Amino acid sequence: MPSKRVHVREYTVRAHERMIHTRVYKFICKQCNKDVERETYGPRPLYCDRCRPSMIHTEKAHKKKPRPVLVKRQKRRNAS
């Protein structure tokens, strides 16, 4: 997995691009207890690719939640 360039959206700071580097980790898989070497962008993995394959991040996976609709209550008429 080579390093890649990602676009960081605007939140509190201005939007910018930065380089994310990969690291190769050597560890023992928690599920199958085998010595594994895995390259990743994020923190140290706990499982090998066979036990827990890498997730594919797409725009569809991060859908925006619909905005709540304001519903006005109807006024009740007094029975008396």
Side-chain angles (χ1 to χ4, degrees):
M1 229 187 274
S3 298
K4 67 179 179 179
R5 195 166 207 61
V6 294
H7 177 74
V8 180
R9 282 177 278 188
E10 190 169 338
Y11 293 105
T12 307
V13 297
R14 284 190 324 210
H16 61 281
E17 288 188 1
R18 63 179 172 185
M19 184 67 75
I20 297 176
H21 301 284
T22 60
R23 287 184 69 179
V24 177
Y25 291 97
K26 294 179 183 177
F27 60 98
I28 296 173
C29 177
K30 279 193 164 186
Q31 190 167 345
C32 63
N33 294 324
K34 292 183 181 178
D35 283 335
V36 181
E37 189 173 296
R38 186 171 177 180
E39 188 174 9
T40 181
Y41 289 107
R44 187 179 70 83
L46 300 174
Y47 303 98
C48 64
D49 278 326
R50 264 187 55 230
C51 295
R52 305 272 171 92
S54 298
M55 293 177 59
I56 299 172
H57 296 284
T58 61
E59 291 295 323
K60 292 179 183 177
H62 300 290
K63 289 184 179 179
K64 288 185 176 179
K65 292 181 182 177
R67 296 183 78 182
V69 178
L70 180 62
V71 179
K72 293 183 179 178
R73 292 185 181 180
Q74 293 180 352
K75 294 182 179 178
R76 288 187 175 182
R77 295 184 187 183
N78 292 337
S80 48

